Amino acid sequence: MMRTRPLKVALLGCGVVGSEVARIMTTHAEDLAARIGAPVELAGVAVRRPSKVREGIDPGLITTDATALVKRGDIDVVIEVIGGIEPARTLITTAFEHGASVVSANKALLAEDGATLYAAAEEHDKDLYFEAAVAGAIPLIRPLRESLAGDKVNRVLGIVNGTTNFILDKMDSSGAGYSEALDEATALGYAEADPTADVEGFDAAAKAAILAGIAFHTRVRLDDVYREGLTDVSAADIASAKRMGCTVKLLAICERAADGQSVTARVHPAMIPLSHPLASVREAYNAVFVEAEAAGQLMFYGPGAGGSPTASAVLGDLVAVCRNRLAESTGPGESAYTQLPVSPMGDVVTRYHISLDVADKPGVLAQVATVFAEHGVSIDTVRQQGRQDGNGEASLVVVTHRAPDAALSGTVEALRKLDTVRGVASIMRVEGE
């Protein structure tokens, strides 16, 4: 039997995502009520600019006092889509204190201080759901928290930022340089006016912190995640990847150490073989590859950003939280029982693709090989090609076997000191093999 008294929802933020959440709540009200077992009512919308016309939203629901809204006491669920650290953190903890559960899309806050939010939710016996924080419409958080809760996840490898994937895809398909591809992404609305958070890897790093924490049942903060953006990826890097049968992606990689005693989380551009499932992820799509002990290899794919996809994830969480409210129960909270340390990037075992400008004369390859040997790094393949410009230089491309990242970095620094090495044209890690 359906309960007639509605569950009241407060919406914090009414931008691209928030307005779509409000629209779906209104247009799909009957379906949502049937799925939940009670009607849901939008009881208030907190915004910064109350004078802006918001189609389909009762102006009487609009307020600029978000604190008063979450303190009302009759609110069942608060949906937070304003982003940032403050005032979002204070508003969420205040909502818990006044009896509301929370649905959030705030990746930055969860990565920076998720422990505080989890603790507040647990203290007040309320739900904290955040499916929309990592990969838009792609169901990923709930499978990791629930479907794979009985399994042991060893690795999460994914493309979790649509802007950077669009840029790299265009560089690969058209031969465009980074700047040209970024301009196209901006013109099509895939990149913000200030794309720093995306192209420098901050967005992906926040998502990696959240994924690692859930997958490995330990606390991983944004500061624990090694981060490189894609601004230094050149058309030459893309072309070199093609010659290797690879493509370049900005990857979020979370791994459990082989001995199980630590974890790593990192974001950086990498070459991956065209045979890998992630290589075929095009345009602004996201995909995450999960490797678990019993389940094996799983891949989650779909649109990772945008108003409608993100709102879909928010509404899915809203339904789950409302069902819990009716059942007087809560869903999963923080699971950090393993308390595994996060190893630094230097300890991570990786492969390198290194492109060198060297003197075009005998003995250079032997000198380079000696440097690799001195640092304990084994060479997989070498390709050397003389140039036709008559400047006495050649291109030398070295692909290594797997080795600690610190050893590889040390190798590169030693190579720079060789008189016969005129410059390091590019360095990129190789993944997916």
Side-chain angles (χ1 to χ4, degrees):
M1 179 181 295
M2 182 178 294
R3 193 181 81 166
T4 57
R5 184 173 67 82
L7 293 161
K8 294 189 176 183
V9 178
L11 178 61
L12 308 183
C14 198
V16 173
V17 176
S19 59
E20 188 67 6
V21 168
R23 184 192 69 79
I24 295 173
M25 285 185 64
T26 301
T27 58
H28 295 180
E30 291 186 6
D31 286 336
L32 290 172
R35 294 165 190 172
I36 291 168
V40 287
E41 173 188 312
L42 190 58
V45 182
V47 300
R48 287 184 296 176
R49 295 185 294 275
S51 60
K52 180 180 178 180
V53 176
R54 294 173 172 85
E55 187 177 348
I57 298 178
D58 180 357
L61 298 178
I62 302 296
T63 178
T64 58
D65 194 343
T67 301
L69 179 59
V70 300
K71 283 184 173 181
R72 275 178 36 172
D74 64 336
I75 300 296
D76 294 287
V77 184
V78 169
I79 297 175
E80 182 272 310
V81 288
I82 57 177
I85 306 302
E86 289 292 355
R89 174 169 47 200
T90 299
L91 290 170
I92 289 173
T93 55
T94 301
F96 289 138
E97 292 166 3
H98 288 78
S101 289
V102 173
V103 172
S104 176
N106 196 331
K107 55 186 171 288
L109 177 55
L110 287 158
E112 179 68 30
D113 196 17
T116 294
L117 305 187
Y118 279 124
E122 183 177 4
E123 178 185 355
H124 298 284
D125 196 26
K126 296 295 178 287
D127 274 324
L128 172 64
Y129 275 53
F130 47 89
E131 185 67 65
V134 171
I138 304 172
L140 183 59
I141 299 300
R142 194 170 289 121
L144 284 173
R145 289 175 97 181
E146 300 177 31
S147 303
L148 296 173
D151 206 339
K152 181 181 180 182
V153 176
N154 291 317
R155 194 171 195 233
V156 179
L157 171 75
I159 298 164
V160 294
N161 182 276
T163 300
T164 53
N165 199 57
F166 179 88
I167 291 170
L168 290 171
D169 183 44
K170 288 303 172 185
M171 292 176 69
D172 181 83
S173 61
S174 70
Y178 165 75
S179 296
E180 294 82 1
L182 174 59
D183 288 343
E184 184 175 353
T186 303
L188 292 172
Y190 291 125
E192 301 287 344
D194 179 2
T196 303
D198 293 322
V199 300
E200 293 294 353
F202 291 102
D203 175 84
K207 295 170 181 176
I210 296 169
L211 290 174
I214 296 171
F216 307 133
H217 303 277
T218 194
R219 284 184 180 170
V220 180
R221 298 180 68 250
L222 181 59
D223 291 345
D224 296 321
V225 182
Y226 174 84
R227 176 191 56 79
E228 287 181 23
L230 56 73
T231 54
D232 290 333
V233 176
S234 66
D237 293 325
I238 302 293
S240 189
K242 283 186 174 183
R243 285 193 291 270
M244 288 178 58
C246 294
T247 189
V248 177
K249 299 292 186 182
L250 186 76
L251 298 178
I253 306 169
C254 311
E255 294 177 305
R256 189 190 300 269
D259 62 5
Q261 299 305 303
S262 65
V263 299
T264 59
R266 51 195 165 105
V267 168
H268 55 72
M271 295 181 180
I272 59 173
L274 294 176
S275 58
H276 194 281
L278 292 178
S280 61
V281 178
R282 308 297 299 273
E283 299 281 333
Y285 276 75
N286 283 191
V288 177
F289 202 72
V290 177
E291 298 176 10
E293 201 165 86
Q297 298 178 333
L298 308 171
M299 183 168 164
F300 301 83
Y301 170 85
S308 294
T310 305
S312 172
V314 169
L315 268 295
D317 279 351
L318 176 65
V319 170
V321 170
C322 286
R323 286 171 174 170
N324 290 345
R325 296 283 289 196
L326 292 179
E328 298 182 349
S329 65
T330 56
E334 182 182 31
S335 175
Y337 71 92
T338 63
Q339 299 182 9
L340 295 173
V342 182
S343 297
M345 185 64 191
D347 293 345
V348 175
V349 177
T350 62
R351 299 178 67 204
Y352 267 28
H353 173 282
I354 306 169
S355 180
L356 304 172
D357 294 327
V358 300
D360 190 5
K361 61 182 183 181
V364 173
L365 180 56
Q367 288 183 338
V368 169
T370 297
V371 171
F372 278 90
E374 289 174 346
H375 287 80
V377 178
S378 177
I379 295 175
D380 182 14
T381 62
V382 177
R383 185 178 71 252
Q384 185 171 356
Q385 182 176 355
R387 295 181 179 171
Q388 304 300 317
D389 52 17
N391 65 358
E393 290 187 2
S395 296
L396 184 65
V397 176
V398 179
V399 179
T400 73
H401 285 292
R402 290 168 64 83
D405 200 80
L408 289 161
S409 297
T411 302
V412 172
E413 290 307 307
L415 289 170
R416 295 181 192 275
K417 296 175 182 178
L418 289 178
D419 292 339
T420 51
V421 174
R422 307 292 169 77
V424 179
S426 70
I427 308 167
M428 190 170 295
R429 294 176 182 85
V430 181
E431 297 287 343
E433 294 183 324

